[in-house]
Amino acid sequence: GAGVSQSPSNKVTEKGKDVELRCDPISGHTALYWYRQSLGQGLEFLIYFQGNSAPDKSGLPSDRFSAERTGGSVSTLTIQRTQQEDSAVYLCASSLAGGHAGELFFGEGSRLTVL
Amino acid sequence: GIQVEQSPPDLILQEGANSTLRCNFSDSVNNLQWFHQNPWGQLINLFYIPSGTKQNGRLSATTVATERYSLLYISSSQTTDSGVYFCAVERSFGNEKLTFGTGTRLTIIP
């Protein structure tokens, strides 16, 4: 596609429910990144994919967080048993380069609110 | 991990003024990007500048990799320049992810 597409743009859920966030990267981009931005804060790295594999999962905050990428394209970030501290904007980015990060292009984010 | 510090944290300027934003980093890098996050939260690429100088209209950037800093210059500021400016770097030797600074919040007053 023309740009990185994320859905949903907004999600309100109750504490304890599971949520799935989707990212569709720019066509042909092999690298895909998930970041999290809490209100008024900077961006926190979560996980990085090169193709379908995840060489770096170091930023996932707990085992309630998981992500997968299929067909070297779409990625899904899943948060199980959501907590209020999970409320944030989840940003996805993709880049063309492999072997180093290259120039990243971000989607508009998915705003998650856990009540 | 690599540390990325941006200064100043906040900047308030009159429309038409010029500004310089600074990004210091603690290790050698092979990738550096500047982003503008607009009031709606969208991150917009400004420069991909691991070294050297680039210009795009009223904006320009310089990275001196050997001294571990980058500067973003904004001239003749407009109200649409308001938002948060982030510097992000990738450490050399296979780190493969961008680490973001804490940002500079720029407010341009008409």
Side-chain angles (χ1 to χ4, degrees):
Chain A
V4 178
S5 178
Q6 292 189 246
S7 61
S9 54
N10 278 286
K11 176 72 176 178
V12 180
T13 190
E14 293 180 348
K15 178 181 172 181
K17 295 286 178 81
D18 297 351
V19 297
E20 284 189 354
L21 307 176
R22 175 189 168 103
C23 173
D24 198 347
I26 293 171
S27 178
H29 280 196
T30 61
L32 185 148
Y33 301 79
W34 284 98
Y35 285 81
R36 177 169 75 172
Q37 187 176 30
S38 300
L39 188 62
Q41 302 298 310
L43 275 73
E44 174 191 5
F45 169 80
L46 298 178
I47 187 170
Y48 149 62
F49 287 92
Q50 182 61 243
N52 291 337
S53 64
D56 191 344
K57 306 178 184 179
S58 63
L60 294 178
S62 76
D63 59 7
R64 296 186 296 104
F65 287 72
S66 63
E68 64 175 13
R69 188 179 186 195
T70 55
S73 181
V74 172
S75 175
T76 303
L77 177 68
T78 302
I79 309 172
Q80 295 179 307
R81 306 181 302 281
T82 51
Q83 304 294 312
Q84 289 182 332
E85 61 263 28
D86 299 335
S87 296
V89 177
Y90 289 82
L91 290 155
C92 176
S94 69
S95 74
L96 184 61
H100 71 95
E103 186 173 8
L104 266 65
F105 295 88
F106 280 84
E108 295 188 356
S110 292
R111 182 177 299 278
L112 175 65
T113 303
V114 182
L115 300 177
Chain B
I2 191 168
Q3 305 300 311
V4 185
E5 295 181 357
Q6 292 187 243
S7 61
D10 291 278
L11 189 57
I12 301 174
L13 296 172
Q14 205 77 34
E15 197 170 22
N18 302 330
S19 59
T20 301
L21 281 57
R22 186 175 181 102
C23 172
N24 291 334
F25 41 94
S26 62
D27 206 342
S28 61
V29 300
N30 59 12
N31 185 355
L32 188 146
Q33 285 187 248
W34 283 97
F35 295 90
H36 174 214
Q37 188 167 42
N38 65 23
W40 296 270
Q42 176 69 43
L43 277 163
I44 299 164
N45 292 41
L46 296 178
F47 293 103
Y48 172 68
I49 186 166
S51 64
T53 298
K54 290 186 177 179
Q55 180 156 6
N56 184 3
R58 296 181 296 104
L59 274 61
S60 64
T62 295
T63 297
V64 184
T66 53
E67 297 187 21
R68 300 184 182 173
Y69 74 88
S70 182
L71 301 173
L72 177 69
Y73 305 97
I74 305 173
S75 64
S76 304
S77 299
Q78 301 176 357
T79 55
T80 52
D81 295 331
S82 295
V84 182
Y85 289 80
F86 288 104
C87 165
V89 303
E90 177 193 3
R91 198 177 64 190
S92 297
F93 309 115
N95 192 267
E96 298 186 52
K97 68 187 182 193
L98 289 185
T99 299
F100 280 73
T102 50
T104 292
R105 182 175 298 277
L106 177 64
T107 303
I108 303 299
I109 301 171

